[in-house]
Amino acid sequence: MSEHAVTSGRATPTPTTESAHYRSGLADVDQSGRPAFILTRTEIKLLGIAGVGFFLDAYDLFIINPVATMLQYRLYGGGHLPPNLEGFMKAGANIGSVIGQFAFGYAADALGRKAVYGKELMLIILATILTMTTPTGTLSPDNALIYLAVFRILLGIGVGGDYPMSASITSDRSNLRKRGTMLAYIFSNQGWGSFMGSLITIIVLAAYKGVMEGKGQTSKVDGVWRIVVGVSLVPAFGTLYQRLTLPESTRFLASQKLKNANAREEGDAIAELKRAQLGEDARMGNLNGPVDEKVGADAKGEEEPSSSSSLEDENAAPPEVLVKKKAHFSDFIKYFSNWKHGKMLLGTCMCWFLLDIAFYGINLNQNVVLQQIGYDGAEGTPWQRLFKISTGNMIVTALGFVPGYYASILTIEKLGRKWIQIQGFLMAALFLAILAGKFETLSKPAFIVCFALLQFFFNFGANTTTYCYPAEVFPTRFRATAHGVSAAAGKAGAIVSALAFNTLSKDIGTPACLWIFFGCCIAGAGFTLLLPEVRNRDPDLILAEEIKEAREAMERQTADVVAGR
């Protein structure tokens, strides 16, 4: 079906591919003339509101590495943490994330984004405060780790809930031409979260140097990790009010009209979707001039929204409540029982699962990498060791994480999600193979370069696009739930790595584990082939057309029966 086939509300099949041609007539309405990565003020505001969740995600998930090292000195006299408890503590947030991704994803579709958004941030705040109260002085060392791990599970529920919530909030409001860029910007905050986690650790350690080095009070490290964890409360409190008061998007409300409508009303629903997108484009500052004739026809003479509107103006958008029937799990099952839709969910789930086995297997156990590059803190006083580990973590993040994210931001609308994901998987597999095959013989500079390139292609690749894909390929009605299911599959992979890597690396060696990660990346590239390219693709219009065509087919069948044919 061509890109113009949906403008009249009538299906006009043509022999074109499904992906990029199912787009709104508003896909090219952005009249600003700016590149996709140049954002409007309103888009920057949305980026700040939604992006803080991924900043906290990386900060809280990756900060556990230096915290675990600090707890060695506070609880075990510098000795290693018990392997099982260390694995449980590192996996705790990911275990909670699976719960949060399912629960918040479903709730966002069933109850609406406005009713749910902000609650996940409240959970993050509560869990962070409870984590800081870990009574290391009164509980036994093992019980203190269990206490910490339990509240990190609660933290993970909030962090996990942020995945489908922020993805849906952003996708609902984005111009199709900039949707992937907006999502990539949101996700790039993960790199900054990891970077700031290392930087804050270095700053707090520097403040404690006199006590820990000069006076030899190593137990003061207990204060270091609590401060480092507590700093994450600042951005969390800073955006809580904005999340709780963010109004519902008009696109989400319009998408609810796709339910229980007859064939003629489906045509109206298509026009409603386009009017909703037009409204969002105006509110996000992407309409700087008069709307072209085609869009004006799509809007059916409706008065154009003012381009000076902002996020807060959505309160006055649709006076009526369009969500008349809650999204039920049976609707979700029915939709994805169709292989045409189910294979896309399988693709997003498996790609994210396979990616996170490799990605978290490397990053939750980064001490192995730091050992290879000489920043594992194997020598010196406890303070010197901790400072060196944090410096090594910041180097690794600066070399690979942040540049990879911004390479995705700058190219995602040009290269497309599918190309970036496949090349990212394959390039990551290449560097994993080099690391695995030459693990003992690579020089320190060669190892650093190889590992930095591995991190770069994780982030200029599947780590970014596995987040973007579920927010772009699925219709608004099922977007948050499908994103939550996909993200939960990814976190399942992270849990496998967190629980199994330490044991496996001792049993079969680190190079063998890296070969396993290599296989995961190759398989991930294969599963990407199940997914369409989603650049400029409007899944809501696809769903509207599918429903309308199915109803028209039923009407024809009914007419044939009545006519006795």
Side-chain angles (χ1 to χ4, degrees), residues 1 31 35 62 68 94 218 246 280 312 391 439 490 514 565:
M1 183 173 296
Q31 299 174 352
F62 290 108
N94 286 321
T218 305
L246 188 69
E280 294 298 343
E312 288 81 359
T391 303
F439 191 76
L514 294 176
R565 291 197 293 266

Side-chain angles (χ1 to χ4, degrees), residues 54 63 107 124 163 214 227 249 273 292 356 360 392 410 444 486 527:
F54 284 90
I63 201 69
I124 291 174
Y163 276 71
I227 293 173
S249 74
L273 287 170
D292 62 35
D356 276 12
Y360 281 90
L410 295 174
K444 185 182 296 185
S486 302
F527 275 104

Side-chain angles (χ1 to χ4, degrees), residues 12-249:
T12 308
T14 59
T16 54
T17 58
E18 176 190 68
S19 58
H21 294 288
Y22 273 111
R23 66 185 70 179
S24 167
L26 303 170
D28 301 315
V29 167
D30 184 358
Q31 299 174 352
S32 63
R34 295 184 295 261
F37 55 84
I38 303 298
L39 305 183
T40 66
R41 287 184 60 186
T42 311
E43 286 170 336
I44 292 172
K45 179 178 179 180
L46 177 62
L47 176 63
I49 295 171
V52 71
F54 284 90
F55 178 91
L56 296 175
D57 171 34
Y59 190 97
D60 289 326
L61 291 182
F62 290 108
I63 201 69
I64 195 62
N65 283 317
V67 168
T69 306
M70 294 177 200
L71 290 174
Q72 291 179 8
Y73 294 104
R74 178 65 181 92
L75 298 175
Y76 294 93
H80 290 292
L81 302 180
N84 292 337
L85 287 178
E86 182 180 11
F88 178 49
M89 183 177 67
K90 288 183 176 181
N94 286 321
I95 293 170
S97 289
V98 173
I99 301 170
Q101 284 155 348
F102 274 119
F104 280 91
Y106 177 77
D109 284 340
L111 306 176
R113 280 60 157 147
K114 178 177 172 58
V116 181
Y117 203 41
K119 311 305 187 294
E120 73 294 329
L121 192 56
M122 293 172 68
L123 266 183
I124 291 174
I125 291 171
L126 174 63
T128 300
I129 293 171
L130 291 173
T131 297
M132 294 168 61
T133 66
T134 303
T136 52
T138 56
L139 291 179
S140 67
D142 287 1
N143 286 337
L145 289 185
I146 294 172
Y147 182 102
L148 179 61
V150 167
F151 286 118
R152 280 188 62 79
I153 293 176
L154 182 62
L155 173 70
I157 294 175
V159 168
D162 195 76
Y163 276 71
M165 290 305 308
S166 290
S168 300
I169 289 290
T170 303
S171 187
D172 290 351
R173 288 168 165 76
S174 296
N175 177 275
L176 294 186
R177 192 179 72 86
K178 303 172 75 171
R179 185 179 59 196
T181 302
M182 285 291 293
L183 290 165
Y185 264 122
I186 298 295
F187 197 69
S188 70
N189 284 278
Q190 202 174 67
W192 289 113
S194 181
F195 181 85
M196 290 301 297
S198 298
L199 180 61
I200 294 298
T201 303
I202 289 173
I203 292 172
V204 178
L205 278 171
Y208 271 76
K209 183 176 181 181
V211 177
M212 293 180 64
E213 284 277 82
K215 299 182 181 179
Q217 298 178 9
T218 305
S219 63
K220 294 296 184 180
V221 75
D222 206 38
V224 176
W225 76 261
R226 293 178 198 273
I227 293 173
V228 169
V229 169
V231 166
S232 66
L233 292 172
V234 176
F237 275 115
T239 54
L240 179 60
Y241 175 78
Q242 297 291 339
R243 287 196 175 200
L244 291 174
T245 57
L246 188 69
E248 196 66 87
S249 74

